[in-house]
Amino acid sequence: MPGRLTPSRPGPASPAAARHPGRLRTAALGTALVSVLVPALGACGGGAGASTGSATLKWASSYFPAHWDPVVSGSGAQFRQLALVYSSLTRTDENGKAVPDLAKSWEYNDKGDEITFHLRPGLTFSDGEPVDAAAVKAAIERAKKQKNSALFGDLTSIASVDADGLDAVVHLTQVDYQIPQLLGERVLQIASPKAAAAPQKLDQNPVGAGPFVVKQLIPGTKVLLKKNPHYWDAKNIHIDDVELTSAPDASTVVSGLQTGVYNFADLEPSQAEAAEKAGLDVFVQPGFNASNLSLNVNKAPFDDDRVVDAVRHAVNRKEFVDKLTFGYGEATDQPFPPGYVAYDPKSRDPYPYDPATSRKLLAEAGHKAGDIKLDLVIPAEDPQAEIVQAQLAAVGITVRIKVDKNWATPFFAKDLTFSLYGTTGRDSAVQTLTAHFGPDGPLNLSTPYEPAGFDAAVAKVRRTPLDSPNYVGNLQAATRAGLKSKALVFTYSSPNLFAKSKAISDLPKNPAHVDWTGVTIAGGS
């Protein structure tokens, strides 16, 4: 799934909200804001270079992968866990810029419709197969063609790939300077072609060229990994073993960290204050998360623009922030947090919270209070849904919350009328825009609908090199065009929040990623 429904974060705001105002803006985005862009395996120790001790990372994750085939798992939140096993052509640095990973360098042709990636020599996947241009070609073709691929919609700019030894020549359908940003951890984690020939086996037996190799995998529960000595940057990986466990109830994570059952965990904002009091390191990893109400304008009542605008004016974003983020989030009316390079200041708050205007629009559309009854379909209980239900009830719209554990099927088939979504964002801002507003966008519940002028605005950004002085202006203009869409109402941004033992050193602040390069674990684990 190329995004995620924002996890439940019940309860009123705590005193942490007073202590951390605007924390997402100042901490969660960091330098990315100004850039274009099973028992323990042994006692823990740390050391530079090749590890000789047994430093063990014990990670409790709320996003334990249901699928380990990166083509199926897509670019949802699980890419952080899959990155333990898989590497990509590029990765993202602390400024949100694409830098070398499996590819040591790349260059475009003069026209901008072809890009050649030069792979590092001598690399192998964990099954011994070579990491070469043929593997890149196979990965891209599989992502475009495999029936259950969650990535095909992200690769529309790629026409074909030629493999020449260590050189992968990517032919594009259009001029597109976003490709190095696009083909990173989220969209092209590369599996061994030999293992990927049986995708169902790969799904639970991952074979990549990343920093770690799977030793044992218990589906949905736990995976044990060991350091990959053949990883291209193994000298900077100082963790010997990883125990990745599906996180229990959020309320038990802090106690698990205190007792040493885990030493690293995804954290709900509701647990941050308890984690701080327990003496744990609580930190915000930069991110691009944004939550929204998804509307299907191909179905009544949202086929009437007045009803859509009534919903927009009925939404009080501040209530989402106050009740769900515990001082770690902020309101947003775009698929980007305020301050990010793609956020368009000219489009700020075009539909302010105004219940009176909402009721007036509904009356103009011929609806009396109680006439409109909507099913809000979600995959699991979520306090967001209750907030939406109450806010729309205040303007005369009745919302019935329906939980469907198979929600993804009707959502991505565009069969729902009304739902909620939360995205983790993308390294390529253009990819974020097309995912939400494009005619084939996976997050666009109203496909094939797209707002007028959006396609042209996005094409203009693609034609603009990332280091061009015109890039930011063109990118924000594309955001502005996308926000003309009637299919989404954005509500709030929430950061990527983690807690760790103080024995684990600071992580690189790469936006939205969890990068273990250079991280050490001191003492015992």
Side-chain angles (χ1 to χ4, degrees), residues 434-478:
T434 56
H436 284 88
F437 306 125
D440 299 314
L443 313 187
N444 177 5
L445 190 57
S446 297
T447 59
Y449 160 79
E450 70 173 329
F454 177 69
D455 184 64
V458 166
K460 187 173 183 179
V461 182
R462 293 188 191 278
R463 294 192 299 268
T464 308
L466 274 63
D467 58 358
S468 166
N470 298 320
Y471 178 72
V472 173
N474 290 346
L475 178 59
Q476 292 179 357

Side-chain angles (χ1 to χ4, degrees), residues 47 130 169 177 199 290 325 365 419 478 501 515:
V169 184
Y177 288 102
T325 75
S419 189
S501 159
D515 184 356

Side-chain angles (χ1 to χ4, degrees), residues 21 46 105 193 201 218 281 302 342 350 360:
S105 63
K201 291 184 179 179
I218 304 172
D281 280 342
F302 298 127
K360 180 181 177 183

Side-chain angles (χ1 to χ4, degrees), residues 41 47 59 106 129 147 154 156 214 223-224 239 259 282 290-291 308 319-320 359 361 366 404 431 439 455 477 498:
L41 300 179
W59 181 358
W106 53 84
E129 291 294 301
K147 263 187 178 179
D154 294 321
T156 55
V214 171
V223 61
L224 306 181
I239 297 170
T259 58
V282 175
S291 296
V308 172
E319 184 176 1
F320 288 88
R359 286 187 284 266
L361 285 165
D404 179 0
Q431 185 196 7
D455 184 64
F498 298 91

Side-chain angles (χ1 to χ4, degrees), residues 16-73:
R19 298 201 313 274
H20 307 303
R23 193 156 187 173
L24 179 62
R25 180 173 305 178
T26 58
L29 295 177
T31 53
L33 296 181
V34 294
S35 171
V36 178
L37 335 184
V38 192
L41 300 179
C44 286
S51 296
T52 56
S54 55
T56 301
L57 171 70
K58 296 182 286 188
W59 181 358
S61 175
S62 304
Y63 304 108
F64 191 91
H67 300 281
W68 286 86
D69 178 351
V71 162
V72 178
S73 194

